[in-house]
Amino acid sequence: MAITDETITRLRSTAAAGDAQAALELGRLLCLTALDPAESGDGGPTWPEEHWLRAAVKARPDDVEALTLLTGRLAQQISYWEAVLDMNPDVMAEYGEDEDTVGRRQIEAEELYARIRAAGPLGHAEAGLNELAVLLGVSGKPASETAYSFYVLEDEAQSGSVRHSATVVASDADEIRWACDEWLALSEGGFGTLTLITYVDATEVSSIDLAQHFVDGFVDWDAVDVPELSGPRLPAGLPVPGRGLYYGFSGGAE
């Protein structure tokens, strides 16, 4: 089902009233955005999903999907701020971040990961969980052979010696379309090279130059044949084994 502004408004209203499932669904969608559509920002990292995922976990402490989403996004935050710490630690202070805040996230993420594992066998999520464990530094066990299916939206541009990039990883066609529309609205048309790549069983089966389908600064999705996914889909919140890709939105410059 197509995701609209009304979808987000309805989920937000229901989640704010204390509905844990709505908080989970809203948090999952906001994982795919750089900024909550209802808020304004200064271009810095906001992690808009965190509030709602925490609400979902608080209401349902044993909900594996909520635990996985929150743990995966905390792992991404840790990776992001560790990279900033290496490149430009002064920037961290502007956002109230330092080694201590990163360390606290690390401790929390490890505790959440242990709760996921305590839930028992998780089917085809095993490979992604193993990858998450490696990223968190709690295991060196290589990922299993599960080959996931997923979408990757990539936008990038070169400015002098700096490459700016934005990436969204999702496993639902409607969600990747919505994430793309949100990114184009936020970035006022994107960075430059916007590509939608489809992987089925970890193999690239399609790469679409979305700029060829722009109408008034947005993608005309009626003109884009987005392949359907088959096989095991990447579970929401988990990284793609062996590819350095996190579920949801990520951005950066190098």
Side-chain angles (χ1 to χ4, degrees), residues 85-185:
L85 183 62
D86 288 340
M87 293 186 297
N88 191 352
D90 292 339
V91 171
M92 295 186 69
E94 297 177 11
Y95 293 98
E97 300 287 343
D98 55 27
E99 290 186 65
D100 289 339
T101 61
V102 175
R104 287 196 292 271
R105 281 193 188 88
Q106 178 72 34
I107 292 171
E108 181 184 13
E110 291 178 13
E111 292 173 346
L112 290 168
Y113 182 83
R115 288 165 61 182
I116 297 169
R117 281 301 192 186
L122 297 170
H124 73 265
E126 188 67 25
L129 285 170
N130 287 343
E131 184 77 2
L132 182 56
V134 171
L135 293 172
L136 290 174
V138 299
S139 173
K141 181 180 179 181
S144 59
E145 294 300 317
T146 300
Y148 292 123
S149 299
F150 54 94
Y151 300 106
V152 179
L153 178 71
E154 294 182 341
D155 190 13
E156 62 180 25
Q158 194 77 24
S159 177
S161 60
V162 179
R163 184 179 72 88
H164 298 274
S165 65
T167 303
V168 182
V169 177
S171 47
D172 178 89
D174 286 329
E175 291 182 3
I176 202 70
R177 292 186 189 99
W178 177 78
C180 180
D181 290 345
E182 289 298 315
W183 169 246
L184 290 174

Side-chain angles (χ1 to χ4, degrees), residues 3 6 17 38 42 49 66 95 97 116 125 135 175 191 202 204 217-218 224 253:
I3 300 164
E6 289 72 23
D42 60 2
E49 72 286 340
Y95 293 98
E97 300 287 343
I116 297 169
L135 293 172
E175 291 182 3
F191 287 152
E204 182 179 327
F218 289 90
V224 180

